[in-house]
Amino acid sequence: MNINKSKIKFSALAASIILSSIILSSCAVSSENYETGFMPDVGVGREAFAPVQSDDTSDQKADSSNPQAIPSNSMVICIDPGHGFEDGGAQSDFLGEYLEKDITLDVSKKLKNQLEMLGYTVILTHDGETIPKTPIDDSNDKFNPQERVSFANSVAGNIDYFVSLHCNSYDSSATSGTRIYYYEGNAKSTNNDAAIAESIRGKIETDFPDSVKPTSENEVFYVVKYTHVPASLIEIGFMTNEQDAANMKDSDWQVKFAKSIADGIDSYFKENPAK
């Protein structure tokens, strides 16, 4: 039998590409598609955003004369409240109608307050009411990972760190604790994604000594892989664990947890200033 080896090699390569696409799922779109050249204002809402007339804004600073713009001398953190709008995220019998999207937004707002008290400029990817318009806006009532990455990268010349907040769930109600994920497969800046995640993890462990020890792990999630700045995805706790659920719906606990994240971020950047 005559076997064409070049065809075999091509077929193997094609199969590999298809398999990679399946594994990465929504991550299959190349990060090159998120070189947006787009500079939104600090606020959120579809009507608040409009492209600037420029071919490349990736390294520009916002005009400090604009009261809504990001000051060029500020350390800027972008917080992404996971899920939202039509996407409620995870739910649990322990929380009733209080969904993942409600927890992530509540903690995100408290984290924003904590970081601002430490002197940071903070922007949210969304406010839970209006979806920001991005270059790949699909005009529906869901804010998918691609849109969130597009938003973050549209201000990549301004922000120093991106953190996405989520809540976990699992088949076993015994599983609990905080998980912090980062991605170091490509060098996004001189800052170390793992070191920032570890700084946050250390603060949470110190502030919540009676809880299950939090972990930080190198993992491929869309919003941490394709952002152009250092990033973390924090799973606050397990909605399917009774104690974690009780904590996450408690406003005082949310403030304390948000402060731990803020202190972890601040501790890292005090020793490793990004600007």
Side-chain angles (χ1 to χ4, degrees):
M1 181 183 293
N2 228 351
I3 298 176
N4 189 322
K5 293 184 178 179
S6 63
K7 287 186 178 180
I8 292 175
K9 289 181 179 178
F10 178 79
S11 297
L13 176 60
S16 175
I17 292 171
I18 292 171
L19 180 59
S20 297
S21 298
I22 293 172
I23 292 172
L24 288 175
S25 186
S26 62
C27 298
V29 183
S30 167
S31 59
E32 292 177 0
N33 291 331
Y34 304 104
E35 296 283 357
T36 61
F38 173 79
M39 186 69 70
D41 292 330
V42 174
V44 296
R46 289 190 184 278
E47 299 304 318
F49 299 89
V52 298
Q53 300 301 312
S54 172
D55 293 332
D56 181 12
T57 62
S58 60
D59 293 321
Q60 291 184 10
K61 304 298 180 187
D63 181 2
S64 60
S65 65
N66 179 350
Q68 288 192 347
I70 301 170
S72 60
N73 60 348
S74 293
M75 287 282 292
V76 184
I77 309 299
C78 180
I79 303 172
D80 174 42
H83 304 278
F85 312 103
E86 286 188 350
D87 175 14
Q91 55 186 355
S92 165
D93 291 340
F94 295 125
L95 290 166
E97 295 182 357
Y98 194 38
L99 304 176
E100 179 179 5
K101 71 173 184 178
D102 303 317
I103 297 172
T104 61
L105 185 60
D106 286 348
V107 176
S108 292
K109 289 178 177 178
K110 291 176 173 65
L111 176 57
K112 181 177 185 290
N113 290 339
Q114 293 295 324
L115 286 166
E116 286 175 341
M117 285 192 289
L118 291 170
Y120 292 86
T121 296
V122 182
I123 58 176
L124 299 177
T125 59
H126 72 87
D127 62 0
E129 297 179 7
T130 50
I131 302 174
K133 183 176 178 59
T134 74
I136 60 167
D137 174 34
D138 55 16
S139 299
N140 63 18
D141 290 325
K142 290 188 177 181
F143 195 33
N144 64 41
Q146 290 88 344
E147 288 179 291
R148 293 168 196 260
V149 165
S150 180
F151 175 93
N153 290 343
S154 70
V155 288
N158 283 296
I159 65 176
D160 299 293
Y161 192 59
F162 174 91
V163 56
S164 185
L165 299 181
H166 289 260
C167 301
N168 243 328
S169 64
Y170 195 61
D171 292 340
S172 170
S173 62
T175 304
S176 63
T178 300
R179 306 288 189 272
I180 305 170
Y181 300 101
Y182 58 90
Y183 179 72
E184 289 209 311
N186 53 311
K188 290 181 279 189
S189 77
T190 56
N191 291 297
N192 187 322
D193 292 62
I196 306 175
E198 184 59 21
S199 181
I200 297 170
R201 186 208 63 76
K203 280 293 182 181
I204 293 173
E205 183 173 342
T206 298
D207 293 343
F208 297 90
D210 297 329
S211 301
V212 174
K213 288 188 177 181
T215 62
S216 62
E217 304 172 34
N218 187 7
E219 188 63 75
V220 180
F221 285 105
Y222 198 97
V223 294
V224 296
K225 179 175 182 179
Y226 289 111
T227 48
H228 293 172
V229 297
S232 290
L233 185 152
I234 300 178
E235 297 277 7
I236 300 168
F238 283 79
M239 298 179 69
T240 45
N241 176 268
E242 186 172 7
Q243 185 58 60
D244 277 9
N247 290 337
M248 288 189 288
K249 69 180 180 182
D250 181 86
S251 182
D252 290 339
W253 186 94
Q254 290 179 353
V255 171
K256 185 177 179 181
F257 187 81
K259 185 177 186 304
S260 292
I261 298 174
D263 287 346
I265 293 171
D266 186 52
S267 177
Y268 176 83
F269 281 113
K270 277 182 176 177
E271 295 183 6
N272 305 273
K275 294 181 179 178

